[in-house]
Amino acid sequence: MELSRRTFGALLAATGPAAAALAAPQNPVPAAPGNFRRPLAPDTPAFEGTLEFTRKNVAPRAEPFPMPQVRLLPNSIYHDAQEWNRGYMERLAADRLLYTFRANAGLPVGSAKPLGGWEQPENGQRSSELRGHFPGHFLSAAAQLAANGDREAKAKGDFMVAEMARCQQKLGGKYLSAFPTTWWDRLEKGERVWAPFYTIHKIMAGMFDMYSLAGNPQALQVLEGMAAWADEWTAPKTAEHMQQILTIEFGGMAETLYRLAAATNDDRWAKVGDRFQKKSFLNPLAARRDELRGLHVNTHIPQVMAAARRYDLSGDMRFHDVADYFFQEVTTARTYVTGGTSNAEAWLAPPRRLSTELKLSTNTAECCCAYNMLKLARHLYSWDPNPSYFDYYEHLLLNHRIGTIRPKVGYTQYYLSLTPGVWKTFNTEDQTFWCCTGSGVEEYSKLNDSIYWRDREGLYVNLFIPSELDWAEKGFKLRQETKYPASQNTALTVTAARAGELAIRLRIPGWLQTAPSVKLNGRLLDSSAAPGSYLVLKRAWKAGDRVEMELPMRLRVQAMPDDPAMQAFLYGPLVLAGDLGGEGLTEAHIIGPNLRVGAPNTEQFGSPLGPAIATPPVPGIEIPTFRASGADPSSWIKPADGPLAFRTTGQKKDVTLVPLNSLFDRRYSVYWQVS
């Protein structure tokens, strides 16, 4: 008979104390002098009982420069992406973005046409239960553009805040949403409803950003009203009832409430945030156990961000350990070669079983997950400015995010599929509004937010992006000129400096084989720094000083951890993809309304989330296999015509390889079977 813990305990009780003593585990702790034995600590969950909030702020060890102090320079993939995104945002009229808010509040909607897809209102057809989420994202993106000096974006954001404040007043002064309060009754009763707190969070986060980045005080008033409503709605619930409510996706509610508590120095909001801590998720992470299989990925990354914010406010190491372990586990055991994670929005396999997971669906690497993992990496770096965080950040930015915005029009992807033979798909102009459309407009509005960081000693150069830094407080200006990663070089020129020493720390990427060569004012430095570290240059800088760094790139291989024959190829920091041609692809394959049979929500919303294939392999597409002529891929993969282009040699069918982030409207493969 197999004994459970319960039946085992019952048997011990029935046979008496002597049997219980014999069955008790032996204490493995060596005997101390005097034969004293110390008892083992009980194995209890880290988060047990009621959370008690006590303020104890933790100062960051490094901080990013505010966006107004960093400007992207033209003629780069980053500046292009910023401008394509800006153009898309400009084409979305404020009255259309406000339509469902006004309708829900009983205010006139005028002649505006409602948005479709996930913003679809009640109009006799099936409506979206996520309506209102994208305007929240839009406010965050507008605030970021405003911080970068975009007056039109600020004016549009200010107008939306004022109109949403009118809606809030009409609804009683606190509650603000694009859907009725009856949905909360359904959530409270455990009836089916699609993620109302997720949507509320996006609006709250947008208001916070309009306040903190765009300087709009009315946005803070709206946000505090919404936070008060969240307090009043959750306060009567028992702890057990709240934990049940948290089984429905609730986004970053806790994170925004903690941010609000930090900005206003009001602990009330942190205590409300504590009600949104899901213990069934936190406890395994605190014990450094990977129990992520089966979880919806983008539901849970924001919860880790909330844990990080909670540590900032309280110094409670349990929350620090949750964020630290989660990041390390996901980035080392659940991440594809692009840096992306997830398949069909979930973790479907055990850790390090990525080739197994890849075969289960074509919907790998949801873009929202990449967006949130970048945020998490950035936050953890502020605790510990270790360059490995920015090795990951750069890799994910280059190989996932920069390649998932459609040139010129600014549309973005839902999934960056890694199934061999697929292609990239994008949202429509106004009939989609996926979650990834929202995180997309945010992502490409803040590409200048992490290039340069600072502490008391000086600054860190973490990303090689053409840009200018104006450290006004120190009278120090820096200009970075580079075509990286198309070029192996970057150059930094001091354009203004005051007297006194200041440290410039250059990130030396971990993918390098050897220390790079660095020149200061044309002279080669005698020493450099190892890959995966910083080169520290501390001196009294003067205008005209110039630092040049060369980062030699090479071809390399990354195999799947559970299938060494399934391999991807990289050149320097770039993931290479095989160009398999565009035969058979039409605009309908790339931009909706190409429905994917059997996929969730597509029948309701009428737009594709990814390639129109339910499961691998892609029908009718033959993916070549390769035979390596040596361990070094450069022995059989050679430079080809075109920038950063390579071609296999000596194969049954040779293939041209180019950076994945440069391929659009083409079928491609990233992973290959190599013998």
Side-chain angles (χ1 to χ4, degrees), residues 224-245:
E224 288 184 315
M226 296 182 74
W229 174 87
D231 183 7
E232 293 166 7
W233 193 87
T234 56
K237 312 291 188 292
T238 65
E240 293 76 16
H241 192 185
M242 273 304 299
Q243 290 299 305
Q244 180 60 36
I245 286 168

Side-chain angles (χ1 to χ4, degrees), residues 394-625:
E394 176 189 74
H395 189 83
L396 185 55
L397 182 65
L398 274 174
N399 296 301
H400 188 129
R401 299 309 282 141
I402 283 298
T404 53
I405 181 168
R406 187 166 172 81
K408 309 299 183 183
V409 293
Y411 303 158
T412 50
Q413 294 188 246
Y414 198 112
Y415 300 112
L416 179 59
S417 182
L418 297 176
T419 297
V422 293
W423 61 93
K424 296 180 180 180
T425 56
F426 299 87
N427 64 270
T428 59
E429 177 81 6
D430 63 356
Q431 296 299 309
T432 311
F433 300 107
W434 305 316
C435 52
C436 298
T437 316
S439 58
V441 294
E442 288 192 49
E443 188 79 80
Y444 305 108
S445 298
K446 64 177 186 65
L447 292 171
N448 60 330
D449 76 339
S450 293
I451 304 171
Y452 306 104
W453 289 62
R454 64 187 178 187
D455 62 11
R456 292 181 179 178
E457 298 297 316
L459 66 93
Y460 298 86
V461 180
N462 278 323
L463 296 172
F464 310 122
I465 295 176
S467 53
E468 288 183 331
L469 167 68
D470 182 1
W471 195 350
E473 302 92 323
K474 290 189 176 294
F476 184 85
K477 294 183 180 181
L478 189 69
R479 181 181 176 93
Q480 182 174 184
E481 296 171 296
T482 181
K483 295 187 180 301
Y484 178 92
S487 166
Q488 301 184 1
N489 305 295
T490 191
L492 299 112
T493 303
V494 176
T495 57
R498 292 179 189 159
E501 287 192 337
L502 184 143
I504 297 179
R505 284 154 288 198
L506 303 175
R507 181 176 64 87
I508 309 301
W511 52 261
L512 285 169
Q513 275 188 306
T514 58
S517 61
V518 181
K519 293 180 179 179
L520 176 59
N521 295 332
R523 298 184 63 180
L524 187 66
L525 295 181
D526 293 335
S527 61
S528 184
S533 68
Y534 283 107
L535 173 63
V536 182
L537 302 174
K538 188 172 184 179
R539 67 197 303 266
W541 298 93
K542 61 182 184 299
D545 283 344
R546 183 175 175 86
V547 178
E548 299 169 274
M549 182 164 65
E550 184 175 353
L551 304 169
M553 298 182 188
R554 63 182 176 92
L555 283 168
R556 52 197 176 96
V557 177
Q558 182 174 312
M560 280 291 200
D562 55 331
D563 184 358
M566 184 180 287
Q567 299 179 3
F569 304 105
L570 302 94
Y571 181 66
L574 293 166
V575 172
L576 301 178
D579 184 347
L580 302 179
E583 185 178 356
L585 294 182
T586 67
E587 194 76 355
H589 288 88
I590 296 163
I591 299 175
N594 180 25
L595 300 189
R596 194 181 42 194
V597 177
N601 309 323
T602 51
E603 180 185 351
Q604 181 173 355
F605 298 122
S607 300
L609 307 183
I613 308 149
T615 56
V618 177
I621 301 297
E622 182 182 355
I623 307 300
T625 59

